[in-house]
Amino acid sequence: MAAVAAVACTSPAEKNEITIKGKVQFDDPKFKMQIVKREGFDKKIVDSFDINPDGTYEYRMKVEEPGVYTLDCKKWQSVNFWAEDEDLTINFRGMDTAKVKIKNPPFVYIQGGPLNEVMNLMNFDNYRNYQLMIAVSQSAYSLKTISDEERGSLTMKGYNMISDESSARTKFIVEHYADRKSILAVLPSLNKIKDAELIDRTLAAVEAANPGYAPIAEYKATVEEERYQRERLAIGKPAPEFRFKDPEGNEAGIADYKGKILLIDFWASWCGPCRQEIPHVKEVYAKYKDKGVEVLSVSIDAKKEDWLKALDEEKMAWKQILAPNAGKEIMKEYQFSGIPYLILLDRDGKIAAKQLRGKKIDEAIDKLLEK
């Protein structure tokens, strides 16, 4: 009886532990490996560890909550994996050894089981999307005979094509791998409105096969939170207030522009597409500033000196402010993860248009001016 009791006590702990091992080809001793859990816009470091002198590592992870985690390889590479009951082998290149370092690490493959096969498919799609976006940007930038506006338009057309292709591949993964619990990691990439039927059908199938499965409840809670945020930031709703400091240390925010049409540009010095959009924003400012239209740029730079250097280079004539903590709070408040993110407010401080680029900025402003 004592032996049976001992087995009963130890079995659950063994089930909740997985082994993650592999090798890092080029070590950076300044940093450690980290297991990260992301919850919306928040990031929690679950644990950290170092590698062996020969570059190998082996880590036993207690999985309190099954789901998506990130293994960060010393700040140089990272990969999303599904932690539940599969032991994993993940190898990294590690530190960039090139003379000119570019933030474009190679794809990381997970050797695991069926759950992480789904993660490999999703991770590879995200990797290829990033490579294609780089190629589109470089191709558009190399066309010296066209204007900045035309270059921006071509870039956006390329991005839209990439987005359409990615959506099709994501739906394919969901439709053909819906028998695996890790498909819950793919569902957030679907369009909540256009793909609602597919999401509901897949969720029902996973729930029927795994009654009481905790990640399903977590996913549903996330969906509900996203729905609430969408409604809160819908067209016609008041824009959330914020006040940040300008280069001189003075605070500025939405409240300062009551009675004005306001274009808010969330950007950063390190963001290529953001810098490409600035010339057009300058044209918009010159075109509409005498018609009651203002611009407010909000940087999410982590380093103030990088922001100030970019301001000196770009010489933007309108108000510039820097969001604290690399913009994490304002990104969560306004529910965006990519920049540039441009949003237009009417004279009452209500949201009139979102996700604007190029000519869409002018069209949205003209529409408000007509009113």
Side-chain angles (χ1 to χ4, degrees):
M1 289 177 65
V4 171
V7 170
C9 290
T10 57
S11 293
E14 291 171 358
K15 277 189 175 182
N16 289 344
E17 192 173 74
I18 63 172
T19 298
I20 307 174
K21 64 181 181 178
K23 185 169 184 177
V24 179
Q25 187 176 1
F26 299 105
D27 184 23
D28 187 343
K30 295 192 301 294
F31 304 105
K32 288 189 174 184
M33 309 286 283
Q34 290 183 332
I35 303 290
V36 179
K37 176 70 171 174
R38 296 183 183 276
E39 297 174 356
F41 287 86
D42 298 323
K43 183 175 78 170
K44 174 187 175 184
I45 298 175
V46 176
D47 202 357
S48 62
F49 58 94
D50 213 338
I51 64 176
N52 300 316
D54 64 353
T56 61
Y57 70 91
E58 184 168 326
Y59 173 75
R60 296 189 70 80
M61 176 182 175
K62 280 191 175 292
V63 184
E64 303 293 342
E65 299 177 18
V68 180
Y69 292 78
T70 301
L71 176 56
D72 184 288
C73 178
K74 296 176 171 275
K75 309 297 181 184
W76 288 99
Q77 289 178 271
S78 65
V79 64
N80 293 330
F81 66 95
W82 187 272
E84 187 158 355
D85 56 8
E86 295 177 352
D87 292 333
L88 310 174
T89 299
I90 307 175
N91 297 316
F92 295 94
R93 174 180 169 80
M95 181 172 62
D96 188 348
T97 57
K99 289 183 178 179
V100 178
K101 292 175 172 50
I102 301 173
K103 191 66 174 178
N104 186 20
F107 173 69
V108 177
Y109 181 77
I110 305 168
Q111 299 175 50
L115 297 177
N116 278 284
E117 183 181 347
V118 172
M119 299 303 298
N120 278 326
L121 291 171
M122 186 176 72
N123 290 339
F124 186 69
D125 182 53
N126 291 334
Y127 169 76
R128 287 302 303 161
N129 286 347
Y130 188 58
Q131 301 309 307
L132 289 170
M133 288 179 73
I134 292 173
V136 166
S137 297
Q138 290 177 338
S139 298
Y141 184 76
S142 67
L143 299 173
K144 304 298 183 182
T145 57
I146 63 174
S147 67
D148 288 335
E149 185 177 349
E150 291 172 319
R151 191 176 292 111
S153 177
L154 280 174
T155 301
M156 285 310 301
K157 285 180 180 178
Y159 287 173
N160 289 337
M161 289 176 63
I162 294 169
S163 178
D164 290 342
E165 280 297 304
S166 179
S167 295
R169 288 192 294 270
T170 300
K171 283 192 278 190
F172 178 88
I173 294 171
V174 172
E175 288 168 350
H176 294 278
Y177 293 86
D179 60 325
R180 307 184 192 189
K181 291 179 281 189
S182 55
I183 204 66
L184 293 172
V186 187
L187 293 183
S189 299
L190 293 173
N191 186 295
K192 302 297 185 297
I193 299 173
K194 293 180 181 179
D195 303 320
E197 184 181 346
L198 175 59
I199 293 172
D200 291 343
R201 186 169 69 247
T202 304
L203 199 59
V206 176
E207 194 166 22
N210 305 277
Y213 190 51
I216 295 177
E218 182 181 336
Y219 174 80
K220 286 183 175 181
T222 301
V223 170
E224 184 62 24
E225 173 65 15
E226 289 175 350
R227 182 193 64 78
Y228 165 74
Q229 295 292 356
R230 282 198 304 273
E231 291 178 356
R232 186 175 64 86
L233 295 170
I235 302 300
K237 295 287 187 178
E241 181 58 83
F242 58 81
R243 295 191 71 78
F244 304 136
K245 291 182 178 179
D246 66 13
E248 289 73 40
N250 302 312
E251 289 192 342
I254 294 174
D256 301 331
Y257 297 91
K258 287 288 177 65
K260 300 277 188 177
I261 293 172
L262 179 63
L263 177 68
I264 306 175
D265 179 14
F266 294 100
W267 73 296
S269 64
W270 46 261
C271 169
C274 299
R275 305 288 286 263
Q276 291 173 14
E277 190 69 37
I278 288 173
H280 181 67
V281 177
K282 288 181 178 178
E283 293 174 3
V284 168
Y285 183 67
K287 180 180 176 181
Y288 294 105
K289 65 179 181 179
D290 294 331
K291 298 180 180 180
V293 179
E294 293 286 349
V295 179
L296 175 64
S297 286
V298 184
S299 170
I300 62 168
D301 272 291
K303 297 180 180 178
K304 185 177 180 180
E305 54 267 31
D306 292 341
W307 172 56
L308 294 176
K309 183 175 181 290
L311 293 185
D312 184 59
E313 293 168 348
E314 297 293 353
K315 294 179 170 47
M316 293 174 277
W318 53 89
K319 178 64 75 175
Q320 306 290 324
I321 55 178
L322 176 66
N325 197 22
K328 291 179 182 177
E329 288 79 12
I330 195 65
M331 291 174 72
K332 184 175 182 179
E333 184 76 12
Y334 273 79
Q335 291 291 295
F336 66 91
S337 56
I339 51 174
Y341 183 77
L342 287 92
I343 182 169
L344 187 67
L345 309 186
D346 65 17
R347 291 184 175 88
D348 296 320
K350 295 179 180 178
I351 299 170
K354 297 186 289 186
Q355 296 179 318
L356 300 171
R357 295 287 297 273
K359 287 184 177 179
K360 288 186 177 180
I361 299 173
D362 304 64
E363 292 169 359
I365 292 174
D366 288 337
K367 188 175 179 180
L368 277 183
L369 290 174
E370 287 173 5
K371 291 183 180 180

mmCIF file of all heavy atoms in Angstrom, residues 168-190:
data_model
loop_
_atom_site.group_PDB
_atom_site.id
_atom_site.type_symbol
_atom_site.label_atom_id
_atom_site.label_comp_id
_atom_site.label_asym_id
_atom_site.label_seq_id
_atom_site.Cartn_x
_atom_site.Cartn_y
_atom_site.Cartn_z
ATOM 1 N N ALA A 168 -3.481 32.165 -45.712
ATOM 2 C CA ALA A 168 -3.872 30.918 -46.376
ATOM 3 C C ALA A 168 -3.131 29.727 -45.768
ATOM 4 O O ALA A 168 -3.717 28.665 -45.518
ATOM 5 C CB ALA A 168 -3.591 31.012 -47.874
ATOM 6 N N ARG A 169 -1.835 29.890 -45.507
ATOM 7 C CA ARG A 169 -1.048 28.798 -44.918
ATOM 8 C C ARG A 169 -1.487 28.513 -43.481
ATOM 9 O O ARG A 169 -1.517 27.352 -43.057
ATOM 10 C CB ARG A 169 0.437 29.137 -44.971
ATOM 11 C CG ARG A 169 1.031 29.084 -46.369
ATOM 12 C CD ARG A 169 2.549 29.144 -46.318
ATOM 13 N NE ARG A 169 3.017 30.416 -45.815
ATOM 14 C CZ ARG A 169 3.286 31.476 -46.569
ATOM 15 N NH1 ARG A 169 3.102 31.401 -47.878
ATOM 16 N NH2 ARG A 169 3.730 32.600 -46.044
ATOM 17 N N THR A 170 -1.827 29.554 -42.746
ATOM 18 C CA THR A 170 -2.280 29.372 -41.368
ATOM 19 C C THR A 170 -3.579 28.573 -41.332
ATOM 20 O O THR A 170 -3.736 27.649 -40.519
ATOM 21 C CB THR A 170 -2.477 30.731 -40.683
ATOM 22 O OG1 THR A 170 -1.249 31.446 -40.671
ATOM 23 C CG2 THR A 170 -2.955 30.551 -39.245
ATOM 24 N N LYS A 171 -4.496 28.903 -42.221
ATOM 25 C CA LYS A 171 -5.764 28.151 -42.287
ATOM 26 C C LYS A 171 -5.518 26.690 -42.664
ATOM 27 O O LYS A 171 -6.174 25.783 -42.144
ATOM 28 C CB LYS A 171 -6.719 28.823 -43.280
ATOM 29 C CG LYS A 171 -7.376 30.066 -42.706
ATOM 30 C CD LYS A 171 -8.528 30.553 -43.555
ATOM 31 C CE LYS A 171 -8.028 31.385 -44.715
ATOM 32 N NZ LYS A 171 -9.142 32.067 -45.423
ATOM 33 N N PHE A 172 -4.551 26.470 -43.551
ATOM 34 C CA PHE A 172 -4.212 25.098 -43.940
ATOM 35 C C PHE A 172 -3.726 24.310 -42.730
ATOM 36 O O PHE A 172 -4.122 23.160 -42.509
ATOM 37 C CB PHE A 172 -3.132 25.125 -45.032
ATOM 38 C CG PHE A 172 -2.681 23.761 -45.467
ATOM 39 C CD1 PHE A 172 -3.348 23.084 -46.481
ATOM 40 C CD2 PHE A 172 -1.595 23.138 -44.852
ATOM 41 C CE1 PHE A 172 -2.935 21.816 -46.880
ATOM 42 C CE2 PHE A 172 -1.182 21.877 -45.245
ATOM 43 C CZ PHE A 172 -1.851 21.214 -46.263
ATOM 44 N N ILE A 173 -2.855 24.915 -41.931
ATOM 45 C CA ILE A 173 -2.333 24.242 -40.735
ATOM 46 C C ILE A 173 -3.468 23.899 -39.774
ATOM 47 O O ILE A 173 -3.559 22.783 -39.251
ATOM 48 C CB ILE A 173 -1.282 25.134 -40.026
ATOM 49 C CG1 ILE A 173 -0.051 25.313 -40.906
ATOM 50 C CG2 ILE A 173 -0.876 24.516 -38.681
ATOM 51 C CD1 ILE A 173 0.935 26.348 -40.381
ATOM 52 N N VAL A 174 -4.374 24.865 -39.534
ATOM 53 C CA VAL A 174 -5.479 24.647 -38.602
ATOM 54 C C VAL A 174 -6.404 23.550 -39.104
ATOM 55 O O VAL A 174 -6.835 22.672 -38.335
ATOM 56 C CB VAL A 174 -6.264 25.959 -38.386
ATOM 57 C CG1 VAL A 174 -7.536 25.691 -37.581
ATOM 58 C CG2 VAL A 174 -5.393 26.985 -37.669
ATOM 59 N N GLU A 175 -6.691 23.551 -40.386
ATOM 60 C CA GLU A 175 -7.624 22.565 -40.951
ATOM 61 C C GLU A 175 -7.069 21.145 -40.916
ATOM 62 O O GLU A 175 -7.815 20.182 -40.755
ATOM 63 C CB GLU A 175 -7.967 22.950 -42.394
ATOM 64 C CG GLU A 175 -8.876 24.172 -42.492
ATOM 65 C CD GLU A 175 -8.969 24.724 -43.903
ATOM 66 O OE1 GLU A 175 -8.175 24.272 -44.766
ATOM 67 O OE2 GLU A 175 -9.813 25.602 -44.138
ATOM 68 N N HIS A 176 -5.738 20.999 -41.052
ATOM 69 C CA HIS A 176 -5.152 19.662 -41.181
ATOM 70 C C HIS A 176 -4.439 19.160 -39.926
ATOM 71 O O HIS A 176 -3.997 18.004 -39.890
ATOM 72 C CB HIS A 176 -4.196 19.636 -42.376
ATOM 73 C CG HIS A 176 -4.895 19.829 -43.690
ATOM 74 N ND1 HIS A 176 -5.532 18.804 -44.356
ATOM 75 C CD2 HIS A 176 -5.091 20.939 -44.446
ATOM 76 C CE1 HIS A 176 -6.071 19.267 -45.477
ATOM 77 N NE2 HIS A 176 -5.816 20.566 -45.544
ATOM 78 N N TYR A 177 -4.319 19.997 -38.903
ATOM 79 C CA TYR A 177 -3.661 19.572 -37.665
ATOM 80 C C TYR A 177 -4.538 19.857 -36.448
ATOM 81 O O TYR A 177 -4.047 20.020 -35.343
ATOM 82 C CB TYR A 177 -2.302 20.266 -37.514
ATOM 83 C CG TYR A 177 -1.298 19.820 -38.547
ATOM 84 C CD1 TYR A 177 -1.253 20.433 -39.797
ATOM 85 C CD2 TYR A 177 -0.410 18.784 -38.286
ATOM 86 C CE1 TYR A 177 -0.341 20.023 -40.763
ATOM 87 C CE2 TYR A 177 0.510 18.374 -39.237
ATOM 88 C CZ TYR A 177 0.540 18.997 -40.483
ATOM 89 O OH TYR A 177 1.442 18.584 -41.432
ATOM 90 N N ALA A 178 -5.849 19.888 -36.666
ATOM 91 C CA ALA A 178 -6.782 20.221 -35.587
ATOM 92 C C ALA A 178 -6.888 19.124 -34.536
ATOM 93 O O ALA A 178 -7.504 19.323 -33.490
ATOM 94 C CB ALA A 178 -8.166 20.520 -36.171
ATOM 95 N N ASP A 179 -6.272 17.958 -34.796
ATOM 96 C CA ASP A 179 -6.318 16.863 -33.818
ATOM 97 C C ASP A 179 -5.254 17.014 -32.742
ATOM 98 O O ASP A 179 -5.188 16.205 -31.816
ATOM 99 C CB ASP A 179 -6.132 15.518 -34.537
ATOM 100 C CG ASP A 179 -4.793 15.436 -35.263
ATOM 101 O OD1 ASP A 179 -4.343 16.478 -35.785
ATOM 102 O OD2 ASP A 179 -4.204 14.340 -35.307
ATOM 103 N N ARG A 180 -4.432 18.056 -32.836
ATOM 104 C CA ARG A 180 -3.338 18.236 -31.880
ATOM 105 C C ARG A 180 -3.624 19.438 -30.982
ATOM 106 O O ARG A 180 -4.007 20.510 -31.457
ATOM 107 C CB ARG A 180 -2.013 18.420 -32.624
ATOM 108 C CG ARG A 180 -1.818 17.280 -33.618
ATOM 109 C CD ARG A 180 -0.512 17.310 -34.318
ATOM 110 N NE ARG A 180 -0.535 16.359 -35.433
ATOM 111 C CZ ARG A 180 0.516 16.013 -36.146
ATOM 112 N NH1 ARG A 180 1.697 16.540 -35.848
ATOM 113 N NH2 ARG A 180 0.408 15.154 -37.133
ATOM 114 N N LYS A 181 -3.375 19.261 -29.696
ATOM 115 C CA LYS A 181 -3.706 20.315 -28.726
ATOM 116 C C LYS A 181 -2.931 21.606 -28.985
ATOM 117 O O LYS A 181 -3.422 22.699 -28.703
ATOM 118 C CB LYS A 181 -3.425 19.810 -27.309
ATOM 119 C CG LYS A 181 -4.384 18.719 -26.858
ATOM 120 C CD LYS A 181 -4.061 18.234 -25.459
ATOM 121 C CE LYS A 181 -2.899 17.283 -25.434
ATOM 122 N NZ LYS A 181 -2.709 16.644 -24.109
ATOM 123 N N SER A 182 -1.746 21.492 -29.554
ATOM 124 C CA SER A 182 -0.939 22.685 -29.816
ATOM 125 C C SER A 182 -1.504 23.555 -30.922
ATOM 126 O O SER A 182 -0.987 24.646 -31.173
ATOM 127 C CB SER A 182 0.500 22.274 -30.162
ATOM 128 O OG SER A 182 0.518 21.369 -31.249
ATOM 129 N N ILE A 183 -2.581 23.095 -31.563
ATOM 130 C CA ILE A 183 -3.222 23.945 -32.579
ATOM 131 C C ILE A 183 -3.758 25.222 -31.933
ATOM 132 O O ILE A 183 -4.004 26.224 -32.611
ATOM 133 C CB ILE A 183 -4.358 23.166 -33.301
ATOM 134 C CG1 ILE A 183 -4.623 23.772 -34.692
ATOM 135 C CG2 ILE A 183 -5.633 23.151 -32.480
ATOM 136 C CD1 ILE A 183 -3.475 23.615 -35.651
ATOM 137 N N LEU A 184 -3.920 25.192 -30.605
ATOM 138 C CA LEU A 184 -4.350 26.385 -29.880
ATOM 139 C C LEU A 184 -3.347 27.533 -30.048
ATOM 140 O O LEU A 184 -3.704 28.700 -29.937
ATOM 141 C CB LEU A 184 -4.521 26.077 -28.394
ATOM 142 C CG LEU A 184 -5.664 25.125 -28.018
ATOM 143 C CD1 LEU A 184 -5.579 24.770 -26.542
ATOM 144 C CD2 LEU A 184 -7.017 25.753 -28.341
ATOM 145 N N ALA A 185 -2.086 27.186 -30.343
ATOM 146 C CA ALA A 185 -1.060 28.211 -30.552
ATOM 147 C C ALA A 185 -1.223 28.902 -31.896
ATOM 148 O O ALA A 185 -0.732 30.018 -32.092
ATOM 149 C CB ALA A 185 0.332 27.584 -30.470
ATOM 150 N N VAL A 186 -1.917 28.252 -32.832
ATOM 151 C CA VAL A 186 -2.070 28.789 -34.187
ATOM 152 C C VAL A 186 -3.340 29.630 -34.316
ATOM 153 O O VAL A 186 -3.387 30.591 -35.082
ATOM 154 C CB VAL A 186 -2.087 27.641 -35.229
ATOM 155 C CG1 VAL A 186 -2.079 28.195 -36.651
ATOM 156 C CG2 VAL A 186 -0.891 26.718 -35.029
ATOM 157 N N LEU A 187 -4.368 29.290 -33.545
ATOM 158 C CA LEU A 187 -5.657 29.981 -33.663
ATOM 159 C C LEU A 187 -5.565 31.504 -33.542
ATOM 160 O O LEU A 187 -6.260 32.216 -34.277
ATOM 161 C CB LEU A 187 -6.648 29.437 -32.628
ATOM 162 C CG LEU A 187 -7.094 27.980 -32.818
ATOM 163 C CD1 LEU A 187 -8.131 27.603 -31.758
ATOM 164 C CD2 LEU A 187 -7.674 27.752 -34.210
ATOM 165 N N PRO A 188 -4.718 32.065 -32.644
ATOM 166 C CA PRO A 188 -4.649 33.525 -32.550
ATOM 167 C C PRO A 188 -4.181 34.211 -33.830
ATOM 168 O O PRO A 188 -4.391 35.410 -33.998
ATOM 169 C CB PRO A 188 -3.643 33.758 -31.411
ATOM 170 C CG PRO A 188 -3.736 32.527 -30.581
ATOM 171 C CD PRO A 188 -3.951 31.426 -31.557
ATOM 172 N N SER A 189 -3.556 33.462 -34.745
ATOM 173 C CA SER A 189 -3.073 34.052 -35.993
ATOM 174 C C SER A 189 -4.172 34.162 -37.043
ATOM 175 O O SER A 189 -3.972 34.811 -38.078
ATOM 176 C CB SER A 189 -1.912 33.216 -36.563
ATOM 177 O OG SER A 189 -0.831 33.192 -35.658
ATOM 178 N N LEU A 190 -5.310 33.531 -36.791
ATOM 179 C CA LEU A 190 -6.430 33.623 -37.729
ATOM 180 C C LEU A 190 -7.176 34.933 -37.541
ATOM 181 O O LEU A 190 -7.091 35.573 -36.497
ATOM 182 C CB LEU A 190 -7.391 32.450 -37.521
ATOM 183 C CG LEU A 190 -6.861 31.058 -37.871
ATOM 184 C CD1 LEU A 190 -7.874 29.997 -37.457
ATOM 185 C CD2 LEU A 190 -6.546 30.939 -39.358
#
